[in-house]
Amino acid sequence: MRLFPPECIFCERLEMKVSGKTERCIKFPAFKDKDGAFKEPNWKQIEPRALELGLHRLHSMVQGEDLFAREANFHYSCRDSFNTKYTTYLRDEAKATIETEQDRKAAAHLLAFTVVLDFIQDRVVGQKEVMLLTSLSLLYNHTRV
């Protein structure tokens, strides 16, 4: 089994500057639940999202791959940017196809819920950050608008 190169799978660089600080690549984590069983990792969302966004280079790179086992690397900011592109894509697609007010509200809820769920999986589960429910509520309400 060949490993991924040490560069970020999104930007193909080892380091990048974000807000004046150098961000280095990290490997995708494996998540376990309280019983020690592996949970569905959030990196599995990259392949279908890259395909939907038309990012063919990224899609072909990760297609059918276990990014944890193959030690793929990423920058948090690059992954966040990728997720933001996908969220924007969903929002634009929803605006183009929504006809009724109820459909618009349901689509806005789905989009906001997806953003909050991604945030929880990444920050709370992945990085073990403690978050206030009010922060999650603000994220949900800000995304829904």
Side-chain angles (χ1 to χ4, degrees), residues 4 31 41 47 74 79 101 104 112 138:
F4 272 91
F31 297 118
E47 180 183 344
F74 70 98
R79 197 217 27 227
E101 181 67 25
R104 277 193 290 280
L138 287 172

Side-chain angles (χ1 to χ4, degrees), residues 53-122:
L53 291 170
L55 301 174
H56 303 294
R57 181 201 54 77
L58 178 61
H59 179 260
S60 64
M61 184 189 313
V62 300
Q63 187 175 13
E65 300 291 347
D66 181 333
L67 300 182
F68 174 73
R70 297 243 345 263
E71 298 184 8
N73 294 293
F74 70 98
H75 298 113
Y76 278 117
S77 58
C78 291
R79 197 217 27 227
D80 290 347
S81 175
F82 173 77
N83 287 335
T84 301
K85 284 180 192 174
Y86 184 71
T87 302
T88 302
Y89 168 79
L90 287 179
R91 182 180 299 135
D92 292 346
E93 286 291 307
K95 284 180 183 176
T97 59
I98 296 173
E99 297 176 8
T100 69
E101 181 67 25
Q102 186 174 358
D103 289 341
R104 277 193 290 280
K105 287 181 180 179
H109 164 72
L110 180 61
L111 177 64
F113 179 75
T114 302
V115 168
V116 171
L117 184 61
D118 284 346
F119 184 85
I120 291 171
Q121 286 178 333
D122 176 44

